[in-house]
Amino acid sequence: VGESGTKDAILLAARSRFASCGYDRATVRAIASAAGVDAALVHHFYGTKERLFVAAMRFPVVPSELLSGLARTSRGRVGELLARAVLEPWEDPEVRAPGMGLLRSAVSNDVAAKMLREFVSRAILRPIAETLQAPDAAFRASLVASQIVGVLMTRFVVGIEPIASVAVDDLVVAIGPTLQRYLTGPVRRPG
Amino acid sequence: VGESGTKDAILLAARSRFASCGYDRATVRAIASAAGVDAALVHHFYGTKERLFVAAMRFPVVPSELLSGLARTSRGRVGELLARAVLEPWEDPEVRAPGMGLLRSAVSNDVAAKMLREFVSRAILRPIAETLQAPDAAFRASLVASQIVGVLMTRFVVGIEPIASVAVDDLVVAIGPTLQRYLTGPVRRPG
């Protein structure tokens, strides 16, 4: 079959398994087995389950890389950096096309919605919440998700102007302070 | 046919016409003609084209009513009031179900996306931008749209926790300041 054939078989098995079991319950071992290869080979090609998911679903970023970048940032700049890290990859048409497909499928298909919800919660929202160590950290993380989902939907899927056509830098400046407040500012009525 | 039969015929014609022509190009006259009634009767039952659209598509709010409510509000509270005016109607399952249908159709169907985009731009974003009278008013209005679309998507369609289950008051307090800044605060890099 050759290496590229083996990789294709792994990605195909991964897509099928993530869709049928969701992200949390799918295992690298079961995916390897469905592809007829050893689990060690899957780890060799793709590293972690997270990276296998990113490769199989063409998810636009590797969350753990994005988050380790943020962890090296000063606390006051994390909103702007997160906005940039999320939005810039979409400027590449090869990221944008599958990314839009993922967004569309999360809206129109309950199975895809569950899979993406689990991946986003596990790989992005939970690590963010753990880093924040605040009592309402999960709420804060989901607020961040709401603004990011909204920008991606209006810019790329529904096409609301002028958000659909402004430069990514303008969007980062506008959205960054929102993400910053959701992460580190007040988000509840005092008292 | 009777009044309810006539109204049903008008709503059916309206849905068909809005879908085929978009919101901007559809006219009450053409909808009346397709329903086999006089345009005056459509105005008698539904008032404006905006209200006919809201009735036909079961749009969750009447934008002109929402905006005239905001116009009577002090400038500093407009973000929180807008958040409340948009989110509270969705607590009613009879609003939520068709609202989710509209959101889903805007994502999965280009014709529905165009129709909703035109309606939202014409009936909501443009009046907001005109009220603001700022040079970047259109950008501000589309930023507002991005956060509102994102909250509706994560709360009702994709179901990201805990946004999906918090009380509407918590969401209003969290989102209100974002809408406030998009409407009246800084949204661009100075200079």
Side-chain angles (χ1 to χ4, degrees):
Chain A
V1 185
E3 183 175 311
S4 81
T6 304
K7 284 183 156 180
D8 285 348
I10 293 169
L11 295 179
L12 194 66
R15 277 191 287 273
S16 164
R17 197 83 189 174
F18 285 130
S20 61
C21 302
Y23 181 71
D24 289 344
R25 286 180 53 225
T27 63
V28 170
R29 179 193 300 254
I31 289 165
S33 165
V37 302
D38 195 86
L41 191 66
V42 177
H43 284 294
H44 170 71
F45 284 142
Y46 295 105
T48 58
K49 182 165 90 167
E50 179 206 23
R51 283 172 186 276
L52 177 59
F53 183 91
V54 167
M57 310 311 299
R58 300 181 70 188
F59 197 79
V61 294
V62 180
S64 58
E65 284 180 10
L66 186 158
L67 295 171
S68 71
L70 288 184
R72 293 189 298 270
T73 302
S74 70
R75 188 174 166 87
R77 293 199 57 214
V78 76
E80 187 167 335
L81 263 110
L82 177 57
R84 185 172 299 285
V86 167
L87 291 172
E88 268 186 347
W90 290 74
E91 298 302 293
D92 177 352
E94 302 217 346
V95 170
R96 188 185 303 186
M100 285 172 62
L102 280 177
L103 277 174
R104 287 201 156 102
S105 70
V107 172
S108 55
N109 177 326
D110 286 341
V111 170
K114 173 177 187 287
M115 179 185 75
L116 274 166
R117 193 168 57 226
E118 285 186 8
F119 180 70
V120 167
S121 296
R122 173 79 57 175
I124 307 180
L125 303 186
R126 197 173 302 188
I128 287 179
E130 281 165 6
T131 305
L132 291 177
Q133 294 189 308
D136 50 6
F139 182 48
R140 291 173 180 276
S142 71
L143 288 167
V144 166
S146 80
Q147 177 61 88
I148 289 173
V149 166
V151 168
L152 297 176
M153 294 292 306
T154 48
R155 182 167 170 86
F156 298 117
V157 179
V158 185
I160 300 232
E161 290 296 351
I163 261 191
S165 55
V166 294
V168 67
D169 283 350
D170 289 331
L171 218 41
V172 166
V173 171
I175 301 295
T178 298
L179 304 187
Q180 183 73 42
R181 183 172 66 82
Y182 290 160
L183 289 170
T184 65
V187 297
R188 293 202 186 260
R189 205 180 295 281
Chain B
V1 186
E3 183 174 310
S4 81
T6 305
K7 283 182 156 180
D8 285 348
I10 292 169
L11 295 179
L12 194 66
R15 278 192 286 276
S16 163
R17 197 82 189 174
F18 285 129
S20 62
C21 301
Y23 181 71
D24 290 343
R25 285 181 52 227
T27 64
V28 170
R29 180 193 299 254
I31 289 165
S33 165
V37 302
D38 196 84
L41 191 66
V42 178
H43 283 295
H44 170 71
F45 283 142
Y46 296 104
T48 57
K49 181 166 93 168
E50 179 205 25
R51 284 171 185 276
L52 178 58
F53 183 91
V54 168
M57 309 312 299
R58 301 182 69 188
F59 197 80
V61 294
V62 180
S64 59
E65 284 180 8
L66 187 158
L67 295 172
S68 71
L70 288 184
R72 293 190 297 270
T73 302
S74 70
R75 188 176 166 87
R77 295 198 56 214
V78 75
E80 187 167 333
L81 262 109
L82 177 57
R84 186 172 299 284
V86 167
L87 291 172
E88 269 188 345
W90 289 74
E91 298 303 294
D92 177 353
E94 302 218 345
V95 170
R96 190 185 302 188
M100 286 173 61
L102 280 177
L103 277 174
R104 287 200 157 102
S105 70
V107 172
S108 55
N109 176 327
D110 286 342
V111 171
K114 174 176 185 289
M115 181 185 74
L116 276 166
R117 193 168 59 226
E118 285 186 7
F119 180 70
V120 167
S121 297
R122 174 77 56 172
I124 307 179
L125 303 185
R126 197 175 302 187
I128 287 179
E130 280 165 7
T131 306
L132 291 177
Q133 293 190 307
D136 50 6
F139 182 48
R140 291 174 179 276
S142 71
L143 288 167
V144 167
S146 81
Q147 178 61 88
I148 289 173
V149 166
V151 168
L152 297 176
M153 294 291 306
T154 48
R155 182 167 172 84
F156 298 117
V157 180
V158 185
I160 300 228
E161 290 295 351
I163 262 193
S165 56
V166 295
V168 68
D169 283 349
D170 289 332
L171 218 41
V172 166
V173 171
I175 301 295
T178 299
L179 304 187
Q180 183 74 43
R181 184 172 65 82
Y182 290 161
L183 290 170
T184 65
V187 296
R188 293 200 186 263
R189 204 180 296 280

